[in-house]
Amino acid sequence: MNRFFLLLCLVVFSSKAQDSHTFFGGFESNAQWYLNDKDLGVDHPEYPLRSNSYLLVNYKHKNWSAGIQAEAYEERELLNYNPKFNQTNVATYFAQYKNETIDVTLGYFYEQFGSGLLFRGWEDRALGINNALRGARIIYKPLNSITLKGIYGRQRTGFEVSEGQVYGFDSEFSVSDAIKMANSSLSIGLTYVGRYEVTPIENPNFKSLTNAYAARLNYTHKSYYFATEFNYKSDDAVVEVANQPQNNFIKPGNALLVNMGYSKKGFGLDGTFRRLENMGFYSERGAKGNPYNDRILNFIPSLTKQHHYNLANIYVYQSQPNVILGDATLVKTGEIGGQIDLFYDFKKGSTLGGKNGMKVAFNFSNWNALGGDFYILNPKNYETDFFGFGKKYFSDYNIEVTKKWHSKLQTQFSYINQYYNKKMIEETAGLVKTNIIGAEMTYKTAASQSIRIVGEHMWADSDKKNWASATAEFNVDSNLSFYVLDMYNYGNDEASMRNHYYNIGTAYRKNATRIALSYGRQRGGLVCVGGVCRFVPESSGIALSLNTTF
């Protein structure tokens, strides 16, 4: 059967659109040849040549559409991807009917309710996440101002699906559309998500069905906007260690999200506040704490600056929605905090703007554990203060100044100050405070040709201490580029650990196809996309990636 589906993919891939029948999709392959590296103390894995490949084919005819995705992990998956991704198989498939009023999908589908704090199904190949539901989804719009959604399914985990069943309903009502508000937009939404899983625990003190509810409001008026959402998750077994739900530690969960701001040409101010308490939510209880984001039902990104500097991403924050009552020094039941973004464009001709203007961006984020009373001895329990702040997890103050000097030259200067509590975030030990400076210059040598140079330095008071980094990038034209970079941990207290993490590579793009080749070292740590992270081990090798759409 699997070979039949793969053959079907290849047949469709070679087909051409006829009349109103349309075929489209894409192919992506990321391969790596892992090498021994004595200086890093790295031995290549048992299967040194590995790849993750994806073939997606979609078909559309009038209101009907269908699709299938095949995946191959040969000879094994890339290092530290979920080992459930193995060999070659059909991964997802769907059939859909959609018109202006109703949208029905059978098979695998992705969906998001509100901000995603209760439910989001999505795919991110760089992170190894694909938590689509296999089942059915119905979207019904009886009026332009009303949208109703219903879902049922089991969540994808590798090439199988979870034991837990997921039910959901979401409604959104656009008040502004209904009453024809001018210069303003107002909408309200209600969400329900149920997770049903029979536990192997004998005589459980919790129900098989966990119910979760949310209400949200979004309002904009001219340049102002405000949004808020509150979520509640019913009593359920707390999971402090993966695959070990606790029968005598039962707690509910909740989340509050508030975002507001003001934006106009040349100026913007945005503030976000979030409070999470016991909000880890998985299609199987025991999946909580797994390192691959496997079977995760909700979307809880870290709300911090997404830095493009290499050194600023060494100590990167991860959201802390779960409960850990380890000992007196490691107590956490969630997180509380937020971030503020401010940008301002100094106009051309002004004193600071000069001939071409200047952009300044400031960001501040701060996150703490929840405050309250905690009981770490059996029976475990806690009572939190809703707006109470406990131990500090993380903070990041940063400022960026971008200046265009003339049509060919642009520079950017950044300063970043970070506080990173390793004990609380990683559940290891230590506290790190850093100061980072970054400078980059882009110079256009021709219409589509440019040189980009980046220099960075980090002063860190502990852990691996000081780092320096440099990057040079040459864009030959809009299709071809080359780069070389090096990150050097010169300040490490252990001389044998003062390593260079170098990389050299090239990329070529032709129409809808891109191919990239690189050689170098991967620094061990977190790789993050959109505030969601996965851990990667240190490695050395050659990487090749191919991506094309049709």
Side-chain angles (χ1 to χ4, degrees), residues 28 53 76 91 152 164 168 219 240 251 265 275 278 317 325 348 387 491 502 505 535 541:
E28 178 181 340
S53 301
R76 290 291 191 276
Y152 166 77
Y219 176 72
E240 295 183 273
K251 299 293 286 187
K265 185 178 180 180
R275 182 191 186 276
N278 187 27
Y317 182 65
L325 300 185
K348 296 178 181 180
F387 290 110
Y502 51 81
F535 178 80

Side-chain angles (χ1 to χ4, degrees), residues 51-52 54 71-77 85-87 159:
S51 67
N52 295 1
Y54 313 85
E71 299 177 5
Y73 303 90
E74 304 289 354
E75 293 182 22
R76 290 291 191 276
E77 75 285 351
F85 294 127
N86 59 76
Q87 301 181 343
F159 289 115

Side-chain angles (χ1 to χ4, degrees), residues 37 45-46 51 70 105 188 231 250 253 319 326-327 384 388 441 453 476 488 497 513 537 548:
D37 192 323
E46 180 181 0
S51 67
T105 302
I188 56 176
N231 301 260
I250 315 298
S319 60
D327 55 46
T384 60
M441 177 194 73
I453 298 174
V476 179
Y488 181 32
M497 300 296 288
T513 300
T548 187

Side-chain angles (χ1 to χ4, degrees), residues 143-146 173-181 184 186-187:
L143 301 170
N144 288 335
S145 58
I146 298 176
F173 176 50
S174 175
V175 179
S176 52
D177 285 347
I179 64 176
K180 309 299 181 183
M181 295 173 62
S184 298
L186 174 63
S187 67

Side-chain angles (χ1 to χ4, degrees), residues 17 36-37 56 76 90 109 157 205 284 298 317 443 496 531 542:
N36 291 330
D37 192 323
L56 172 65
R76 290 291 191 276
V90 172
F109 60 89
T157 172
N205 293 324
E284 295 177 3
N298 52 352
Y317 182 65
Y443 183 78
S496 62
I542 300 171

Side-chain angles (χ1 to χ4, degrees), residues 398-472:
N398 58 82
I399 186 169
E400 291 182 352
V401 180
T402 303
K403 174 70 175 176
K404 187 175 183 179
W405 299 94
H406 52 73
S407 60
K408 293 186 176 182
L409 179 63
Q410 178 174 293
T411 60
Q412 183 182 90
F413 298 93
S414 298
Y415 168 72
I416 304 163
N417 175 279
Q418 294 176 324
Y419 175 103
Y420 186 84
N421 192 331
K422 290 190 67 178
K423 172 72 173 181
M424 295 295 289
I425 297 173
E426 300 179 7
E427 299 166 21
T428 54
L431 172 66
V432 187
K433 299 177 183 179
T434 72
N435 288 280
I436 304 167
I437 56 172
E440 63 180 277
M441 177 194 73
T442 302
Y443 183 78
K444 290 185 177 181
T445 56
S448 59
Q449 189 177 90
S450 64
I451 297 173
R452 178 173 173 265
I453 298 174
V454 183
E456 308 169 46
H457 188 274
M458 173 196 284
W459 292 269
D461 65 352
S462 62
D463 198 33
K464 296 182 178 182
K465 299 290 184 69
N466 296 355
W467 290 74
S469 176
T471 303

